[in-house]
């Protein structure tokens, strides 16, 4: 092989190596771009996954409560936890006048930008501040306000707009629930009587609706002076909740007042109420206790249909006026109603109540009654209104109760002369 041929071969070899190096660099560049694209795509997919998961969490959190304040607290907590904003708040539309109230910091006043968003339903975007309308359809529920030290990007604005949309649904549900709750409470309180008794008898009546649900319930109390001077006390509870329970409650409350006002004793009044309830087109039942008190003699008569015992507190301490009960009103069979009587002394307290005061899911009934007995004994020297409030506070605490609560506290402060005695009689079985 000649020298020229060797040089030609070496030149071709160098050119081939150079070409292959260029192609390799090209492939490496393409591979790096592909890897960068895949990493970017993966990052974008992961970001969208995280955002989708966050939106789902927002939906769950704002739907977990039906109270507007708690919905706002959950939303603000999530936004600040994810560092989507350094400071977040919601301007809620609070009433028919369309006033705006900020949560948190309810003492703040909305500026012109907030009012403009609330009026025009359009977002207000600044580099470090966002005002996003919280709307469901054409209805504005509030304005989401966000502040941050760094600027919001366009992509973040779009995402936070989606967060606002999810949150608005929770606020709408809470608003509708709170309106229904307010209506239910107004209806319930409108159906409760105004109490009127002699000066020597002090009364404290308290009603608390269930903390969950629409809160139209079937608990009631009543107290009035009959034409012959006898004091009539009644407390009852219709099973279930809702409008049907409230309607039955109203009928029974009015019926028992009418029966006792006519002069019927407690057992006879309950017998007539049982007939009435059986004749209604209703599947509901009711418990009730009726008592009448003669101030001249100190005689108290009572009868109970499936209800918890009256508590009496006198010189000998707290005791239960507990005797065998009749079944609940409205059950589809006949039964006897026993009527009992005792003599109480001036200065005695009587407490009538519904089961929501003592029943708890995680507690046996006897424990609840024991707690009530202790709470009642502690307040006998307090004014009746304060005593009733203290009993509620002791029995309910800070926990939300899932049943209506009703109590009627009666204190006899006169000093008449009275004979003593006690007895029991039976009323014939209802037909």
């Amino acid at each position: 092989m000649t020298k020229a041929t060797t040089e030609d071969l070496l030149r071709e070899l160098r050119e081939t190596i150079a070409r292959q190096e260029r192609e390799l660099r090209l492939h490496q560049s393409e591979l790096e771009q592909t890897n960068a694209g895949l990493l970017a795509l993966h990052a974008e997919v992961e970001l969208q996954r995280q955002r989708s998961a966050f939106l789902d969490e927002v939906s769950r959190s704002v739907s977990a409560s039906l109270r507007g304040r708690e919905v706002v607290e959950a939303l603000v907590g999530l936004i600040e936890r994810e560092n989507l904003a350094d400071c977040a708040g919601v301007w809620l539309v609070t009433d028919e006048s369309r006033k705006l109230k900020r949560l948190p910091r309810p003492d703040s006043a909305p500026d012109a930008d907030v009012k403009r968003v609330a009026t025009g339903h359009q977002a207000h975007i600044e580099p470090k501040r966002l005002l996003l309308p919280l709307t469901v359809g054409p209805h504005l529920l509030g304005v989401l306000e966000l502040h941050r030290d760094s600027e919001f990007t366009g992509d973040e604005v779009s995402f936070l707009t989606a967060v606002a949309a999810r949150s608005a649904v929770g606020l709408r549900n809470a608003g509708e629930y709170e309106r229904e709750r307010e209506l239910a409470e107004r209806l319930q309180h409108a159906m409760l009587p105004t109490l009127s008794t002699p000066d020597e008898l002090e009364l404290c009546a308290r009603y608390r609706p269930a903390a969950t649900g629409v809160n139209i319930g079937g608990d009631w109390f009543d107290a009035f002076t009959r034409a012959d001077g006898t004091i009539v006390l009644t407390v009852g509870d219709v099973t279930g909740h809702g409008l049907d329970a409230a309607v039955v409650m109203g009928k029974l409350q009015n019926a028992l007042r009418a029966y006792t006002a006519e002069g019927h004793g407690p057992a006879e009044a309950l017998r007539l109420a049982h007939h009435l309830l059986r004749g209604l087109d209703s599947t509901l039942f009711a418990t009730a206790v009726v008592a009448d008190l003669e101030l001249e003699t100190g005689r108290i008569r009572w009868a109970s249909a499936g209800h918890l015992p009256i508590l009496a507190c006198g010189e000998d301490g707290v005791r239960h006026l507990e005797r065998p009960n009749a079944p609940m009103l409205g059950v589809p069979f006949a039964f006897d109603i026993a009527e009992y009587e005792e003599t109480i002394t001036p200065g005695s307290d009587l407490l009538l109540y519904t089961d929501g005061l003592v029943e708890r899911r995680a507690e046996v009934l006897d424990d609840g009654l024991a707690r009530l007995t202790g709470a009642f004994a502690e307040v006998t020297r307090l004014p009746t209104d304060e005593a009733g409030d203290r009993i509620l506070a002791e029995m309910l605490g800070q926990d939300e109760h899932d049943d209506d609560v009703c109590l009627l506290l009666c204190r006899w402060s006169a000093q008449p002369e009275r004979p003593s005695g006690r007895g029991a009689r039976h009323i014939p079985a209802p037909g």
Side-chain angles (χ1 to χ4, degrees):
M1 180 179 296
T2 63
K3 182 177 180 181
T5 302
T6 301
E7 291 177 353
D8 290 340
L9 291 174
L10 290 173
R11 184 173 62 255
E12 290 177 3
L13 180 59
R14 286 194 293 270
E15 291 174 354
T16 299
I17 293 173
R19 183 173 65 254
Q20 290 178 344
E21 289 177 346
R22 289 194 300 271
E23 291 176 354
L24 179 59
R25 287 194 295 271
L26 178 60
H27 290 319
Q28 288 176 335
S29 176
E30 292 175 348
L31 181 59
E32 290 173 356
Q33 292 176 6
T34 301
N35 288 339
L38 289 173
L39 290 174
L41 178 60
H42 177 75
E44 180 64 22
V45 169
E46 178 62 18
L47 176 62
Q48 295 304 320
R49 187 196 65 78
Q50 292 176 356
R51 287 183 172 180
S52 178
F54 181 73
L55 288 174
D56 290 341
E57 185 177 4
V58 169
S59 296
R60 290 193 303 272
S61 297
V62 300
S63 300
S65 173
L66 289 175
R67 300 179 186 276
R69 175 179 292 274
E70 293 176 359
V71 170
V72 170
E73 289 174 352
L75 173 62
V76 169
L78 287 174
I79 289 174
E80 294 182 350
R81 185 199 74 188
E82 295 297 310
N83 295 320
L84 295 171
D86 298 320
C87 178
V90 173
W91 295 91
L92 284 178
V93 177
T94 57
D95 52 30
E96 295 298 328
S97 63
R98 312 301 292 172
K99 290 183 179 179
L100 293 168
K101 177 181 179 180
R102 193 182 192 281
L103 296 176
R105 299 203 307 272
D107 55 340
S108 303
D111 61 19
D113 293 330
V114 173
K115 293 179 180 178
R116 191 177 304 111
V117 173
T119 302
H121 299 194
Q122 296 294 322
H124 175 82
I125 303 173
E126 300 178 19
K128 298 182 180 180
R129 184 194 188 203
L130 290 182
L131 296 173
L132 303 173
L134 297 167
T135 57
V136 177
H139 304 292
L140 179 97
L141 306 170
V143 177
L144 175 61
E145 182 177 12
L146 305 172
H147 293 266
R148 201 164 72 180
D149 291 337
S150 58
E151 296 185 1
F152 292 99
T153 66
D155 183 56
E156 288 174 327
V157 171
S158 299
F159 174 61
L160 289 167
T161 301
V163 171
R166 295 284 185 101
S167 305
V169 175
L171 284 174
R172 179 200 59 185
N173 295 340
E176 291 179 353
Y177 165 80
E178 288 178 341
R179 282 190 293 272
E180 290 179 1
R181 177 186 174 89
E182 180 183 0
L183 177 61
E185 289 186 11
R186 290 170 59 186
L187 173 62
Q188 191 84 39
H189 283 285
M191 298 175 71
L192 296 175
T194 300
L195 305 182
S196 177
T197 55
D199 292 340
E200 61 266 34
L201 205 68
E202 300 175 32
L203 291 178
C204 169
R206 293 291 184 266
Y207 170 79
R208 294 291 183 271
T212 58
V214 176
N215 303 315
I216 299 180
D219 289 24
W220 83 86
F221 61 81
D222 199 2
F224 69 96
T225 304
R226 201 158 58 196
D228 62 2
T230 302
I231 309 302
V232 179
L233 308 171
T234 305
V235 164
D237 181 7
V238 176
T239 58
H241 288 81
L243 187 58
D244 290 343
V247 169
V248 171
M249 178 271 287
K251 291 179 178 179
L252 288 178
Q253 174 191 329
N254 291 331
L256 282 171
R257 174 175 274 233
Y259 298 148
T260 52
E262 288 177 353
H264 294 297
E268 178 66 9
L270 287 175
R271 186 186 73 83
L272 294 171
H274 176 68
H275 273 299
L276 172 68
L277 184 51
R278 287 185 65 182
L280 297 178
D281 184 18
S282 173
T283 59
L284 300 177
F285 307 114
T287 69
V289 60
V290 180
D292 61 33
L293 173 64
E294 293 180 354
L295 296 183
E296 292 82 4
T297 65
R299 185 197 70 176
I300 178 174
R301 298 187 302 170
W302 79 93
S304 176
H307 206 79
L308 293 169
I310 299 173
L311 294 184
C313 185
E315 295 178 355
D316 54 351
V318 178
R319 59 195 175 94
H320 294 208
L321 302 185
E322 190 167 15
R323 302 290 189 276
N325 260 347
M328 299 174 70
L329 302 178
V331 295
F333 54 83
F335 53 82
D336 290 336
I337 302 178
E339 184 174 283
Y340 308 96
E341 66 179 58
E342 287 195 8
T343 298
I344 63 173
T345 59
S348 296
D349 288 1
L350 298 173
L351 181 64
L352 293 74
Y353 53 94
T354 56
D355 57 6
L357 189 64
V358 294
E359 288 188 347
R360 299 292 179 272
R361 292 180 180 178
E363 182 181 63
V364 297
L365 179 59
D366 287 346
D367 290 343
L369 290 172
R371 287 196 301 113
L372 178 60
T373 300
F376 188 32
E378 292 292 329
V379 300
T380 54
R381 297 184 180 276
L382 298 177
T384 51
D385 283 342
E386 184 179 350
D389 292 336
R390 288 276 293 273
I391 290 172
L392 283 180
E394 177 67 25
M395 297 302 295
L396 302 182
Q398 300 299 319
D399 297 333
E400 291 193 343
H401 49 283
D402 54 9
D403 195 6
D404 296 354
V405 174
C406 180
L407 69 81
L408 180 62
L409 175 61
C410 173
R411 176 172 295 164
W412 181 23
S413 56
Q415 297 286 335
E417 295 181 359
R418 304 172 308 283
S420 61
R422 66 178 63 190
R425 63 190 178 91
H426 287 271
I427 302 299

